Amino acid sequence: PNAFSPNGDGINDFFFPKMECVPMAYLLTVFNRYGQPVFETKDYLLRWNGTLNGKSLPVATYYYILTYVNDGLKIPERFTGSVTIIR
């Protein structure tokens, strides 16, 4: 997905990559437009709710880097993209 609406209505409240497998290693980092990290996790089950330090972030486009090791391929894969918060 490239947009989500973390407004607590139970629909598209979180940003997370859909994983087809359980990764051996995983790192998801989300950055604001200034390149400052606003979310980071090594747990592939953890989802970003559009907050930083418990405070809602503004409507904007954020950028992510996802790096993981697929158990089948056993090589690091890296994906980048953007996601927009819509409130």
Side-chain angles (χ1 to χ4, degrees):
N2 63 356
F4 71 116
S5 59
N7 57 10
D9 67 357
I11 302 170
N12 296 323
D13 284 332
F14 300 96
F15 169 71
F16 60 98
K18 288 191 175 187
M19 303 295 294
E20 298 289 326
C21 63
V22 176
M24 293 171 51
Y26 177 92
L27 178 62
L28 172 65
T29 308
V30 180
F31 303 89
N32 64 17
R33 67 180 180 166
Y34 303 109
Q36 300 164 323
V38 296
F39 177 77
E40 183 170 277
T41 183
K42 292 182 179 181
D43 180 352
Y44 79 98
L45 296 174
L46 193 59
R47 301 169 175 201
W48 182 42
N49 63 0
T51 65
L52 174 62
N53 298 324
K55 295 184 180 179
S56 295
L57 289 169
V59 170
T61 299
Y62 296 84
Y63 305 91
Y64 66 87
I65 299 173
L66 170 63
T67 305
Y68 70 93
V69 177
N70 179 318
D71 188 33
L73 298 175
K74 298 198 182 353
I75 59 171
E77 296 186 73
R78 180 180 168 136
F79 296 92
T80 62
S82 63
V83 61
T84 302
I85 291 179
I86 301 170
R87 295 199 191 273

